[in-house]
Amino acid sequence: MAYAIPNEEERRQLFYYLKRGSSYTAWAKLGPYYKAFVDIVRVAFEDTQNNPPPGKSPLIGSSLMTGLLNGFASYEKALARLRKGDKTVFKFIGYGQAAAPYFCEAFRAIEIWNSKNTGDEAARGNEFPAWESKYWPQIERALNHINDVEGTVACLEDRHIDVPAPYDDMAELRNGTVLDFLPMLRITPSFPDVPIPKEEVLIRTGQTVPCFGIWEPVKAPLSKGFIGMFKRPEVPPDHKLGSTD
């Protein structure tokens, strides 16, 4: 798959976005909204457990409540690790590892509620019982607040390795439609330079990167000699990669 090659200014913008969106400060802002959502769901859960609708099961099941509590516990544990500089909290480790200290588990609980809130349950012929709760307007409002703040954070590893990063289309970056973060980019007068890595690692198009992290599309000359698959990308003598300037 071909990727757009950013120029130097776009590289600085993207790195600024990634650095800011993966910071402890950005992720900590999500905490109060996540907690508010958990709190209102707990109120609704306890209410329906004590007073279930006549002839029906409680509107919010124990497994749904437990999953949400585990998700919030995952968020708090991952945030504590991020504060210490541990960026492995952004890795995708699979689903179903209760209260695991990774943000993927934290967002799994939110994704479950989002899928139900968008009507997926009704589409399958199963109405979501929580819709009937008298607390549903407050639950939905709290969930929407989480989703709004989620748009300001970044760096979650995708569960599918063939899904490209959402920052590769420079045409959309230029016209201001690719990221919710772009309004801030436009009013920032200048951006810091992109750090030079201690070792430049080049991966050919179509190959899988060896580890999760910030990788960017670049143009690099191939080694001389063998033909085709035996050629390898090489770092040019001036070490200038990834610019269309």
Side-chain angles (χ1 to χ4, degrees):
M1 176 177 182
Y3 294 87
I5 306 297
N7 59 37
E8 287 303 314
E9 178 63 15
E10 291 165 341
R11 290 182 70 227
R12 288 192 289 269
Q13 289 179 343
L14 289 169
F15 186 79
Y16 179 81
Y17 167 77
L18 291 170
K19 183 178 180 181
R20 186 158 184 148
S22 61
S23 67
Y24 170 82
T25 300
W27 282 86
K29 288 181 179 178
L30 183 66
Y33 298 98
Y34 203 145
K35 185 178 185 303
F37 179 64
V38 171
D39 287 346
I40 188 58
V41 172
R42 183 188 284 112
V43 170
F45 170 76
E46 292 175 352
D47 177 72
T48 190
Q49 291 292 318
N50 295 327
N51 305 288
K56 294 184 178 181
S57 300
L59 300 177
I60 299 176
S62 298
S63 60
L64 197 58
M65 187 70 240
T66 300
L68 183 57
L69 292 174
N70 284 336
F72 185 60
S74 293
Y75 166 80
E76 290 189 307
K77 292 177 181 178
L79 187 66
R81 289 173 55 188
L82 181 60
R83 188 170 191 173
K84 297 177 181 179
D86 184 354
K87 295 299 181 72
T88 63
V89 294
F90 298 119
K91 288 180 62 64
F92 177 78
I93 59 167
Y95 286 145
Q97 302 184 48
Y102 293 88
F103 286 126
C104 64
E105 272 298 302
F107 276 100
R108 177 173 180 256
I110 300 301
E111 290 169 359
I112 290 173
W113 279 85
N114 276 326
S115 68
K116 297 179 183 300
N117 191 34
T118 55
D120 289 353
E121 289 286 311
R124 293 195 297 268
N126 301 311
E127 292 291 336
F128 183 36
W131 292 339
E132 301 178 24
S133 171
K134 62 183 179 183
Y135 294 99
W136 179 252
Q138 295 167 259
I139 292 174
E140 187 174 33
R141 185 162 55 249
L143 181 59
N144 288 337
H145 287 161
I146 293 178
N147 292 330
D148 289 341
V149 178
E150 183 185 352
T152 66
V153 297
C155 285
L156 284 178
E157 180 178 309
D158 197 277
R159 64 181 298 186
H160 304 291
I161 64 172
D162 59 345
V163 175
Y167 322 116
D168 65 300
D169 193 335
M170 291 302 107
E172 291 189 8
L173 177 63
R174 293 186 184 100
N175 64 33
T177 60
V178 69
L179 299 171
D180 293 336
F181 195 72
L182 279 174
M184 184 173 293
L185 296 185
R186 295 194 193 97
I187 65 175
T188 303
S190 62
F191 302 92
D193 291 335
V194 178
I196 299 174
K198 294 181 180 179
E199 179 183 359
E200 289 151 314
V201 179
L202 300 177
I203 307 297
R204 293 188 64 171
T205 299
Q207 294 182 334
T208 302
V209 297
C211 61
F212 178 64
I214 298 177
W215 297 82
E216 59 180 324
V218 299
K219 289 182 179 179
L222 295 178
S223 60
K224 299 178 181 179
F226 292 104
I227 299 175
M229 64 180 294
F230 294 101
K231 289 189 175 185
R232 294 290 182 269
E234 293 183 330
V235 178
D238 60 5
H239 292 264
K240 290 185 177 179
L241 293 165
S243 175
T244 57
D245 290 345

